[in-house]
Amino acid sequence: MKSLEKTKAQKIVNRIQNGNFDENDVDNLFMRLRASSYKNIIFREIADFVAHNDKRDRGVTNQSLEAMYYSMKYFLEYTSPKISLDIAKPFPIWIKKLIKYQVDKIDEEILREKFSVGKERLKIRIDKGFKDDKKTKKTLLKKDKLSMETLHAIQYVMSFIISKEAFSQKDLINQIINVLHQNDISFDKDKILAQADKITLCVLLLLHNSKFDYKGHKLAYCTINPEKEFVSYNTNFVDKDGNKINIDENFGNLQALGHVVLDKDGQDLTIAYSIMSTELNVEEWCAESLFNIEPLGKTDFEYLCKRLKLGEDLIISEDFKLIDKSA
């Protein structure tokens, strides 16, 4: 990278290490090093979010959402109605894409142990073993192109649905450190790790309300969510003998949830799963104004709960907590 750009990036890193930074500094760091992120795909993913945050149609997050969409589509159209996939006959191209996504989610050692093949080799065999017809949007098995062992491997990877996050807080921070190292930018690893939670909060905010287009039924999207939306408030718990017991309830950590929308019998069906996990304790990183004390249900006014409500207009406050801009 150019000397001037490196100097600018170094100044941003210095501010981050000193804890004197905000979300704009984090955005700028990703942008400064975007072109020099090499094979750090998570770093590049976030940098691309900064550059193109209106709608994404590529990248690891988009791929994760597309994989979940196809998994649930397959469940609705084949697994649930108990329709077997006969790969000897033409079948939709999207299923071939799903098969390769499933391969990516399987442990490499399991594939090698069971079928004597690695992920990349198996995906190459799948691509070579079928011929796509873009006009009919179907793919056809080529004669004598796939061995029985490969067919058994395909059957195995399609035997269950795997939900897997795109990346974690640890993955994100490790790749930031990798990129700084690869670009010879001076930094103290311990100081960067000390600011990991703040950096992660900034990245979560980038993902919040982002849209993704993989040409499915409707656009997918991401939101910031807690692991648990509410906890009991001023409620006493007792055992079967009437003795008071302590139950430690908490909201868990913040996460980025991915939402995919499918068509089920003419109605929208939304499936949500974790795209990015974090180590950010909800009550530590959310302003008190985001919590409400309210009845547990619409008709149950006897029991109260403490509920976290995260709207669309989230920002980071001066004391580095999530707050609602519109509140």
Side-chain angles (χ1 to χ4, degrees), residues 165-201:
E165 66 184 14
F167 55 95
S168 66
Q169 173 173 335
K170 184 178 179 180
D171 296 330
L172 170 69
I173 301 303
N174 283 343
Q175 290 210 357
I176 291 174
I177 290 171
N178 288 344
V179 172
L180 294 179
H181 178 73
Q182 290 169 353
N183 285 280
D184 292 324
I185 293 175
S186 177
F187 69 97
D188 185 317
K189 182 178 178 179
D190 289 336
K191 289 183 178 180
I192 293 294
L193 292 176
Q195 303 301 327
D197 287 350
K198 287 185 176 181
I199 296 171
T200 301
L201 190 67

Side-chain angles (χ1 to χ4, degrees), residues 41-81:
I41 60 174
I42 296 169
F43 186 100
R44 181 57 186 250
E45 172 82 344
I46 303 306
D48 287 344
F49 262 106
V50 179
H52 311 287
N53 59 12
D54 50 347
K55 185 170 64 177
R56 299 284 296 145
D57 61 1
R58 65 200 68 185
V60 295
T61 306
N62 196 76
Q63 290 171 0
S64 176
L65 289 161
E66 184 178 48
M68 176 56 74
Y69 176 79
Y70 286 150
S71 293
M72 297 312 302
K73 183 177 174 67
Y74 185 83
F75 177 81
L76 292 175
E77 297 182 12
Y78 287 84
T79 307
S80 181

Side-chain angles (χ1 to χ4, degrees), residues 271-290:
I271 305 295
Y273 72 106
S274 179
I275 280 284
M276 176 189 177
S277 61
T278 79
E279 299 164 19
L280 305 180
N281 179 277
V282 170
E283 294 191 87
E284 290 181 14
W285 293 95
C286 292
E288 191 61 35
S289 59
L290 295 176

